[in-house]
Amino acid sequence: MLFKQQALLRQKLFVLGSLAIGSLLYLVARVGSLDRLQPLCPIDGRFGPRGQGEIPLRALQFKRGLLHEFRKGNATKEQIRLHNLVQQLPKAIIIGVRKGGTRALLEMLNLHPAVVKASQEIHFFDNDENYAKGIEWYRKKMPFSYPHQITIEKSPAYFITEEVPERIYKMNSSIKLLIIVREPTTRAISDYTQVLEGKERKNKTYYKFEKLAIDPNTCEVNTKYKAVRTSIYTKHLERWLKYFPIEQFHIVDGDRLITEPLPELQLVEKFLNLPPRISQYNLYFNATRGFYCLRFNIVFNKCLAGSKGRIHPEVDTSVITKLRKFFHPFNQKFYQITGRTFNWP
């Protein structure tokens, strides 16, 4: 009798187990189907008034998978057509500044499911040879995206190159322009550090920062040194303002992006008229690296390259003081023009 009861119990457990496995397989298939179908539905209409609404995480996961394959060139023209993918000209460009955090900003904005980034610096507008190839060449350098997404590229040389503002204006006079800045003296030293590292890799010698930043004949700041010139933000911005109103620029605090990235990213979302999607979940502090890394989902995390966050060489304090005094009036004018004040010395 006991044997029959045990056999009956095993049979019931088998049936229940089969039903459970069947239900699980159905759910997996159903979710997979939704993942495939979700991005084909335009999401603009779901944002609602003032950018409210939800973009499912599935759309983000889909973007990281399928679009990545297309970017690697593993898609046929028919696949691209069926998935309604296009190569769009950028609707926003991170134009600078060098060593201000342009790569970090681009990667962080790519957390947003409505943003697609150009992985490489295109150098279209600042390079005469590239520019001569025409706007269609530039478009073909852009990543594949869905029509509702916006493409963003970054080339920090754009900010300081004289021809660039007019060239971008001719492409799109209403484009949104992002400038990320850091405290000017710190940025100049960071600029020097990157060049120094490149020289050391080639076993070449290089001048100390103090010798480059200070004119030995006058003992004043050497304005011919490129790292110094780049940090005079207002001089470059004034050239851009000949073509674009200040409302088309957004200034990002590069120092704050390092220590407290989320508020800065939320300001950019608002500037780009994107619904708020980047949250604290997407950003986590990596104690080993010493800065924030990115979390796209439960399985995909990303930190910036090891070349980011280089240790700066020690610089004579008197030179730092002299540089900060030199930059001060330019900084004040920059605050006045942009309407954003920073706690720079």
Side-chain angles (χ1 to χ4, degrees):
M1 184 66 177
L2 179 61
F3 178 79
K4 289 183 178 179
Q5 289 178 342
Q6 289 176 340
L8 183 60
L9 179 60
R10 283 196 296 270
Q11 186 177 8
K12 288 181 178 179
L13 289 174
F14 176 79
V15 172
L16 290 173
S18 299
L19 288 173
I21 292 172
S23 299
L24 181 60
L25 290 173
Y26 171 79
L27 288 173
V28 170
R30 179 62 176 164
V31 171
S33 174
L34 289 174
D35 283 348
R36 290 190 296 273
L37 293 175
Q38 187 66 42
L40 300 181
C41 302
I43 62 175
D44 285 348
R46 282 186 252 147
F47 286 167
R50 299 184 183 178
Q52 299 303 310
E54 293 298 329
I55 298 178
L57 180 60
R58 289 190 299 273
L60 178 59
Q61 293 169 330
F62 188 95
K63 186 177 85 170
R64 305 303 167 194
L66 182 62
L67 289 185
H68 179 67
E69 292 302 313
F70 289 153
R71 289 170 191 164
K72 293 191 300 183
N74 295 340
T76 65
K77 290 183 178 180
E78 182 64 15
Q79 286 175 314
I80 293 170
R81 185 188 67 79
L82 287 174
H83 288 284
N84 199 28
L85 291 167
V86 291
Q87 286 174 293
Q88 304 182 78
L89 290 173
K91 295 178 182 176
I93 300 178
I94 301 172
I95 60 174
V97 300
R98 172 181 163 94
K99 307 313 299 175
T102 57
R103 173 56 61 182
L105 178 60
L106 183 68
E107 296 292 344
M108 288 178 178
L109 288 177
N110 194 49
L111 288 164
H112 199 292
V115 170
V116 177
K117 69 178 177 70
S119 297
Q120 303 298 321
E121 294 180 8
I122 310 300
H123 290 286
F124 177 65
F125 297 103
D126 66 309
N127 183 298
D128 291 342
E129 184 178 342
N130 287 342
Y131 189 69
K133 295 175 182 177
I135 202 71
E136 282 306 307
W137 178 88
Y138 180 54
R139 186 196 301 273
K140 293 297 183 184
K141 292 294 182 180
M142 295 299 121
F144 287 103
S145 62
Y146 295 102
H148 67 265
Q149 294 173 316
I150 68 170
T151 298
I152 297 180
E153 77 126 320
K154 75 101 174 175
S155 293
Y158 289 169
F159 186 58
I160 64 171
T161 306
E162 290 189 10
E163 299 84 1
V164 171
E166 182 179 7
R167 289 174 175 179
I168 292 181
Y169 179 84
K170 287 179 178 178
M171 178 191 74
N172 182 357
S173 61
S174 61
I175 197 167
K176 292 180 180 290
L177 302 165
L178 294 162
I179 304 172
I180 180 168
V181 294
R182 296 187 66 194
E183 190 276 314
T185 301
T186 302
R187 194 223 62 83
I189 296 172
S190 181
D191 197 327
Y192 166 84
T193 303
Q194 178 170 297
V195 176
L196 175 64
E197 185 180 273
K199 298 286 186 181
E200 290 175 342
R201 281 200 303 267
K202 298 176 182 178
N203 294 318
K204 294 182 178 181
T205 58
Y206 196 49
Y207 294 109
K208 292 187 69 175
F209 176 79
E210 292 87 340
K211 190 169 184 179
L212 294 169
I214 303 299
D215 188 325
N217 297 319
T218 63
C219 292
E220 297 300 327
V221 172
N222 179 15
T223 55
K224 294 181 180 180
Y225 178 37
K226 187 176 180 180
V228 169
R229 291 203 316 272
T230 299
S231 285
I232 308 175
Y233 304 139
T234 185
K235 290 291 186 182
H236 304 293
L237 183 58
E238 286 173 344
R239 184 172 59 253
W240 284 85
L241 291 173
K242 294 177 182 177
Y243 295 91
F244 300 96
I246 193 63
E247 292 77 20
Q248 283 178 231
F249 296 86
H250 178 72
I251 311 300
V252 179
D253 186 341
D255 295 307
R256 192 183 183 201
L257 193 73
I258 296 171
T259 60
E260 197 180 1
L262 185 58
E264 286 299 313
L265 294 172
Q266 290 171 334
L267 290 173
V268 178
E269 284 180 322
K270 185 176 180 181
F271 172 70
L272 296 177
N273 296 320
L274 293 171
R277 291 294 177 271
I278 303 173
S279 69
Q280 196 61 59
Y281 169 82
N282 301 119
L283 303 159
Y284 68 96
F285 187 77
N286 186 312
T288 303
R289 301 293 297 278
F291 49 80
Y292 281 85
C293 294
L294 316 179
R295 180 186 290 116
F296 291 90
N297 52 48
I298 59 175
V299 295
F300 182 34
N301 299 342
K302 181 177 183 179
C303 285
L304 297 179
S307 60
K308 304 302 179 182
R310 296 180 180 90
I311 298 174
H312 293 180
E314 290 188 16
V315 177
D316 188 289
T317 54
S318 65
V319 172
I320 291 176
T321 301
K322 190 180 290 265
L323 283 167
R324 286 176 172 172
K325 184 178 180 180
F326 168 80
F327 287 126
H328 182 74
F330 296 111
N331 295 341
Q332 297 301 310
K333 191 170 184 180
F334 185 71
Y335 302 160
Q336 183 179 5
I337 293 173
T338 63
R340 183 155 195 189
T341 302
F342 301 94
N343 295 320
W344 296 338

